[in-house]
């Protein structure tokens, strides 16, 4: 089939339009035509654009919140520190979330907590727990060592000196003193908070020596010889005869600290493998809940105001299955009996986080499994510990002060950008600053 020759009536404009751009044709490029993309490209562009925009939106607000609270505590880094004094040290307690690994908690610390600690020139010590119960054991052992260092004696004296004890001796010989103010603890998550409270009770109110679980006896049982009725019975010691074992005495009461400053436990609601999806949904609802740790870390770094944990009155029904003091079903009457119970604030803080835990956190131990399940147990606070705990908070007006400092910092950054544009000659009809010899702040 022969090709139809072009008609002579065709105009030169129409022929050049059909041929395309001559520059692109000479470069060997195809003739691009502006048209709507196909259905598949529209779907791909919508999905990738939505994900990229939400990710950039999340990063923008995260940096904005970090700048706000870092600016509020940045003046602490400018305060002088004596050369013979250690800086203030904050202890961070974190544990792997239920159903996930420790890396999630570490990322949470590096993303939200570490920037504020660095801005305030704070030193910190991290106590990590890969499994349930490790934070409790580590904190209890740390408190026992502190009690021994303060002069309390134990039955089993250990001749080994830890690395921290050696550092303390070296600092004492060099004349370096510890920080004379409050230190502070920061706890991440409800599950770590339960272990923290349990460790405080075991360390301060428990024995000075760690209690080891009794080992099962594996003695072979031998058959008893037949007992003759004429044989004499073995002599039994009289009740007044002193025994060879030492008398049982009550352990000495430990010297509790006057106060235990700590920060509120931070909400680390974790959805396994859905962290960014959860934050996107939260942002879609107009809430900045994922950045809640930032305004909690700032009061701990400032340490300008603290309050004791409160104790409230709770009315518990006798049929409440969560109450260990409830009577049995046989003793219950037809009308439910209401009991008055004193509840400490530490027991109810972040309780709503337990509904988001993985189901493996509530799984009971199998037969022969002796692992402790601190997360499943009900939290009980002793009055001697609960009354000495304090919580750091912002003073009235400090949040407004943080907003003003953030606005001033933003204006300063914008002024720097404007000076840079003027130096480069962007957006102005005048000669650029690099031609007139302007440098740095001289261009302002």
């Amino acid at each position: 089939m022969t090709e139809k020759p072009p008609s002579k009536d065709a105009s030169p404009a129409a022929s050049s339009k059909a041929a395309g751009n001559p520059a692109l044709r000479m470069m060997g490029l195809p003739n691009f035509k502006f048209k709507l993309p196909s259905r598949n490209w529209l779907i791909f562009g919508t999905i990738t654009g939505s994900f990229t925009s939400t990710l950039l939106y999340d990063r923008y607000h995260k940096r904005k919140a970090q700048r706000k609270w870092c600016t509020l505590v940045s003046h602490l880094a400018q305060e002088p520190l004596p050369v013979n004094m250690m800086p203030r040290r904050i202890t961070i307690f974190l544990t792997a979330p239920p159903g996930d690994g420790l890396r999630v908690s570490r990322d949470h610390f590096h993303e939200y907590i570490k920037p504020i600690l660095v801005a305030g020139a704070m030193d910190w010590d991290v106590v990590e727990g890969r499994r349930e119960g490790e934070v409790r054991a580590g904190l209890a052992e740390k408190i026992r060592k502190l009690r021994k260092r303060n002069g309390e004696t134990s039955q089993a004296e250990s001749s080994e000196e830890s690395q921290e004890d050696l550092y303390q001796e070296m600092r004492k010989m060099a004349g370096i003193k510890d920080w004379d103010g409050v230190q502070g603890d920061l706890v991440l998550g409800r599950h770590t908070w339960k272990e923290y409270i349990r460790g405080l009770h075991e360390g301060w109110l428990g024995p000075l020596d760690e209690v080891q679980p009794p080992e099962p006896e594996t003695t072979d049982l031998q058959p008893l010889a037949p007992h003759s009725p004429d044989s004499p019975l073995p002599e039994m010691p009289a009740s007044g005869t002193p025994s060879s074992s030492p008398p049982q005495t009550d352990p000495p009461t430990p010297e509790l600290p006057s106060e235990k400053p700590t920060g509120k436990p931070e909400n680390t609601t974790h959805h396994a493998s859905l962290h960014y999806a959860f934050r996107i949904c939260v942002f879609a609802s107009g809430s900045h809940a994922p950045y809640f740790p930032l305004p909690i870390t700032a009061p701990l770094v400032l340490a300008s105001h603290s309050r004791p944990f409160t104790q409230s009155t709770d009315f518990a029904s006798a049929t409440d299955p969560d109450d260990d003091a409830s009577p049995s079903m046989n003793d219950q009457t037809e009308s439910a009996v209401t009991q008055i119970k004193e509840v400490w604030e530490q027991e109810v803080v972040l309780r709503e986080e337990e509904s988001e835990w993985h189901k493996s956190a509530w799984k009971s131990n199998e037969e022969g499994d002796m692992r402790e399940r601190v997360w499943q147990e009900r939290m009980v606070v002793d009055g001697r510990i609960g009354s000495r705990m304090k919580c750091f908070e912002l003073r009235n007006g400090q949040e407004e002060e943080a907003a003003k400092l953030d606005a001033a910092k933003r204006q300063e950054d914008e002024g720097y950008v404007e000076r840079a544009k003027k130096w480069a000659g962007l957006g102005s009809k005048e000669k650029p600053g690099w031609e007139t010899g302007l440098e740095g702040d001289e261009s302002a």
Side-chain angles (χ1 to χ4, degrees):
M1 192 173 177
T2 60
E3 183 179 358
K4 184 178 179 180
S7 60
K8 298 181 180 180
D9 299 337
S11 61
S15 60
S16 63
K17 183 177 181 181
N21 192 339
L24 297 178
R25 188 172 66 253
M26 293 299 293
M27 295 174 63
L29 298 177
N31 184 20
F32 293 102
K33 297 181 181 180
F34 294 98
K35 60 180 181 180
L36 289 176
S38 63
R39 169 180 168 271
N40 295 339
W41 278 108
L42 284 175
I43 295 175
F44 173 77
T46 303
I47 294 176
T48 55
S50 301
F51 179 78
T52 305
S53 60
T54 51
L55 184 62
L56 294 177
Y57 181 77
D58 172 60
R59 296 292 178 86
Y60 168 75
H61 280 281
K62 183 184 71 173
R63 289 195 298 266
K64 182 179 179 181
Q66 286 179 351
R67 181 181 58 190
K68 173 183 176 181
W69 297 107
C70 289
T71 307
L72 181 63
V73 303
S74 60
H75 69 278
L76 298 176
Q78 308 299 329
E79 296 181 359
L81 182 69
V83 294
N84 62 338
M85 180 175 292
M86 294 291 295
R88 183 186 172 201
R89 173 173 293 186
I90 296 176
T91 308
I92 313 295
F93 296 88
L94 56 91
T95 315
D100 212 318
L102 186 61
R103 182 177 179 180
V104 178
S105 299
R106 287 177 176 175
D107 293 343
H108 186 91
F109 167 74
H110 287 284
E111 193 171 358
Y112 299 112
I113 301 173
K114 184 178 178 181
I116 300 183
L117 297 179
V118 173
M122 295 289 110
D123 192 9
W124 65 85
D125 186 15
V126 181
V127 178
E128 295 181 346
R130 297 182 179 272
R131 290 189 295 269
E132 183 177 358
E134 290 188 358
V135 169
R136 175 207 59 79
L139 178 59
E141 183 63 25
K142 183 178 180 181
I143 295 176
R144 293 190 197 98
K145 291 181 179 179
L146 178 61
R147 291 169 56 185
K148 293 178 182 178
R149 198 179 300 121
N150 292 340
E152 294 189 38
T153 58
S154 61
Q155 297 179 358
E157 292 290 343
S158 60
S159 58
E160 299 180 356
E161 285 188 346
S162 62
Q163 192 174 11
E164 184 64 26
D165 295 336
L166 295 177
Y167 289 157
Q168 289 287 347
E169 291 295 333
M170 294 173 60
R171 296 188 190 115
K172 187 176 180 180
M173 294 173 59
I176 300 177
K177 300 179 295 183
D178 291 334
W179 179 262
D180 55 356
V182 294
Q183 301 283 2
D185 299 338
L186 184 63
V187 185
L188 273 68
R190 169 78 175 181
H191 56 293
T192 315
W193 179 249
K194 280 190 169 183
E195 296 191 30
Y196 178 80
I197 297 296
R198 181 78 170 269
L200 285 179
H201 284 73
E202 292 187 11
W204 288 113
L205 304 181
L208 198 57
D209 299 320
E210 186 176 1
V211 180
Q212 301 293 339
E215 299 181 358
E217 297 181 0
T218 58
T219 56
D220 298 334
L221 299 179
Q222 301 293 339
L224 297 176
H227 179 71
S228 175
D230 298 335
S231 60
L233 296 175
E235 296 183 359
M236 301 297 293
S239 57
T241 305
S243 175
S244 60
S245 60
Q248 299 292 335
T249 59
D250 295 335
T253 304
E255 183 180 353
L256 299 177
S258 59
E259 61 179 20
K260 179 63 177 175
T262 180
K264 275 188 177 180
E266 295 196 357
N267 190 346
T268 58
T269 303
H270 173 66
H271 300 256
S273 304
L274 295 176
H275 187 48
Y276 281 104
F278 166 70
R279 283 159 59 162
I280 290 172
C281 295
V282 170
F283 271 114
S285 62
S287 173
H288 288 189
Y291 308 136
F292 186 68
L294 295 173
I296 289 184
T297 311
L300 176 62
V301 174
L302 292 173
S304 57
H305 176 69
S306 63
R307 65 166 181 85
F309 283 90
T310 59
Q311 188 179 20
S312 60
T313 303
D314 186 18
F315 296 92
S317 173
T319 59
D320 188 2
D322 296 335
D323 191 2
D324 298 340
S326 301
S328 61
M329 296 298 295
N330 299 330
D331 300 337
Q332 293 176 4
T333 59
E334 296 181 359
S335 60
V337 180
T338 303
Q339 299 177 351
I340 299 177
K341 182 175 58 175
E342 297 293 336
V343 179
W344 284 93
E345 183 183 355
Q346 295 93 319
E347 301 179 20
V348 298
V349 65
L350 291 184
R351 182 181 289 179
E352 66 278 359
E353 191 176 324
E354 296 184 3
S355 60
E356 304 291 342
W357 288 356
H358 193 264
K359 61 181 180 180
S360 60
W362 305 106
K363 186 178 180 181
S364 57
N365 292 342
E366 299 179 357
E367 185 177 358
D369 190 359
M370 303 301 295
R371 291 181 302 173
E372 58 179 348
R373 308 308 298 267
V374 183
W375 300 348
Q376 297 181 4
E377 297 177 0
R378 182 166 140 316
M379 184 184 297
V380 179
V381 179
D382 190 277
R384 292 170 291 179
I385 298 295
S387 60
R388 286 174 167 83
M389 296 182 65
K390 289 189 175 182
C391 174
F392 291 109
E393 284 186 348
L394 291 174
R395 295 197 313 267
N396 294 333
Q398 274 191 325
E399 189 165 358
E400 291 77 6
E401 180 185 355
K404 292 180 180 178
L405 292 175
D406 179 56
K409 180 69 174 177
R410 187 166 58 253
Q411 291 180 0
E412 181 180 352
D413 296 342
E414 291 176 356
Y416 174 79
V417 173
E418 292 297 331
R419 292 195 300 269
K421 287 183 178 180
K422 185 177 180 180
W423 185 87
L426 301 176
S428 62
K429 298 181 180 179
E430 301 177 358
K431 291 185 178 182
W434 59 271
E435 290 186 0
T436 58
L438 296 179
E439 295 180 2
D441 295 334
E442 296 178 3
S443 61

